[in-house]
């Protein structure tokens, strides 16, 4: 059981949130458009609606524009 739990925490999760952003949770590398690469460990939300003022991150604008996706 302990090994199964450890395995689950080692897996990076990407979740498409209905009518909202793409959530990534876990340990991953983020390559910026500048080419800079940062190692991340946590949770980020990436915009899928295209309307965020803080791309590539979600700023909740999808709620105002009634994004469906
Ligand atoms: S998905 Fe949230 S602002 Fe675009």
């Amino acid at each position: 059981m302990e090994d199964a739990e450890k395995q689950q925490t080692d897996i990076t999760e990407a979740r498409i949130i209905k009518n909202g952003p793409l959530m990534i949770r876990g340990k991953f590398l983020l390559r910026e458009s500048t080419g800079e690469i940062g190692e991340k460990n946590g949770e980020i939300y990436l915009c899928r609606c295209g309307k965020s003022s803080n791309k590539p991150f979600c700023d909740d604008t999808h709620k105002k524009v009634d994004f469906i996706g």
Side-chain angles (χ1 to χ4, degrees), residues 1-11:
M1 184 69 165
E2 195 171 295
D3 284 342
E5 287 175 8
K6 184 173 181 339
Q7 269 186 336
Q8 283 187 334
T9 59
D10 289 345
I11 295 173

Side-chain angles (χ1 to χ4, degrees), residues 17 19-22 45-63 65 67:
I17 297 174
N19 303 331
L22 170 68
Y45 294 85
L46 299 176
C47 176
R48 292 196 310 128
C49 75
K51 302 296 184 186
S52 173
S53 300
N54 189 31
K55 290 182 191 93
F57 304 103
C58 172
D59 68 357
D60 280 345
T61 299
H62 62 272
K63 294 175 184 171
V65 299
F67 173 64

Side-chain angles (χ1 to χ4, degrees), residues 27-54:
K27 195 173 182 181
F28 55 93
L29 296 176
L30 181 64
R31 186 185 309 264
E32 304 281 350
S33 58
T34 60
E36 184 178 329
I37 300 174
E39 186 174 321
K40 306 290 181 186
N41 189 4
E43 195 172 281
I44 63 170
Y45 294 85
L46 299 176
C47 176
R48 292 196 310 128
C49 75
K51 302 296 184 186
S52 173
S53 300
N54 189 31

